Amino acid sequence: MFNSGMSFVPLEHAVRDGRSDIAVVAREVGASAAQMGVPLHEVLDHVERAHAEEEPPFATVRAAALAWVEEALLHQVDASCEHPLTSLSTVPHVRSRLGDVYRGAERDGKRAADTHALVVVELPRLDPGNELEQELRSLEVAEAMRMVYVGDETVAQLSPRRFAALVGVERADAVTVRLLAMMLEQVLGDEPQVRLWVEHLPSTSDGIASTLAALTL
């Protein structure tokens, strides 16, 4: 059920009237939904329903989803810095740490993108109903990442399937990333191959929200 205080009418009207700024309306609706505590999956369900029998344009879905995530991040400043299951850092804490990185780089006359990076791990998607297995795999990934990044790096769980370590660029080198891949293979056993990549930071701090939004989807 949708939050009774949340109105999705603007998007329905925009679609019905064939307006050219539907993506803009979707963004406003997504941000408002996050403020009201409406879950993201309900917002995406509404975007589909607003388009009746037609598949909603990717730009509209993306606008609603990114706006929801960005707004949700802004309103999670009081959330715990630690994930209750894995004890990894949470998204709000990563956002805070990234802010520190950019401020430090600016103070030193450097670019944060040249000093730090995010090493990202993504687990394969499981069939619905396997939440317990997903949580167990999260614990295994957390163990592997902690074995590799044992210093002051920030290791976080961004979503049920995605994890990231905020590290100095020297710790995002091919050797260290390969070591992490080997540790993941060891703890996950015969699990399907996980995705592992280095996410370069945006050139300015203005891109932090959109980068995290993309990684948490």
Side-chain angles (χ1 to χ4, degrees), residues 47-216:
V47 172
E48 284 192 60
R49 281 195 289 271
H51 284 78
E53 302 300 323
E54 299 180 1
E55 182 174 349
F58 174 75
T60 304
V61 176
R62 184 177 187 276
L66 284 180
W68 186 95
V69 174
E70 290 175 8
E71 193 66 32
L73 289 175
L74 291 174
H75 284 76
Q76 286 178 351
V77 292
D78 294 329
S80 170
C81 291
E82 190 174 281
H83 191 279
L85 177 66
T86 62
S87 296
L88 296 179
S89 296
T90 57
V91 173
H93 184 60
V94 175
R95 184 188 180 94
S96 175
R97 284 288 296 115
L98 281 168
D100 293 340
V101 166
Y102 278 86
R103 284 189 292 273
E106 183 177 359
R107 180 191 62 231
D108 298 336
K110 300 178 179 179
R111 295 173 66 251
D114 295 332
T115 63
H116 288 75
L118 289 166
V119 178
V120 183
V121 175
E122 181 184 81
L123 290 169
R125 190 181 303 277
L126 291 178
D127 294 331
N130 290 330
E131 289 81 4
L132 178 57
E133 184 177 348
Q134 185 76 70
E135 291 178 353
L136 293 176
R137 293 197 307 175
S138 296
L139 289 170
E140 292 166 341
V141 172
E143 177 184 353
M145 296 188 75
R146 285 199 186 96
M147 286 190 286
V148 175
Y149 296 111
V150 296
D152 60 355
E153 295 96 346
T154 299
V155 182
Q157 182 165 2
L158 305 179
S159 75
R161 296 193 304 124
R162 280 187 180 169
F163 308 79
L166 175 59
V167 302
V169 290
E170 70 281 358
R171 295 283 282 156
D173 62 299
V175 173
T176 307
V177 172
R178 178 54 190 159
L179 174 60
L180 175 57
M182 292 172 59
M183 299 306 300
L184 289 168
E185 291 173 4
Q186 179 176 324
V187 299
L188 293 172
D190 296 330
E191 288 288 334
Q193 184 66 45
V194 300
R195 287 186 63 207
L196 176 59
W197 73 92
V198 175
E199 183 80 18
H200 298 288
L201 298 184
S203 57
T204 69
S205 59
D206 291 340
I208 291 176
S210 60
T211 295
L212 288 178
L215 290 173
T216 53

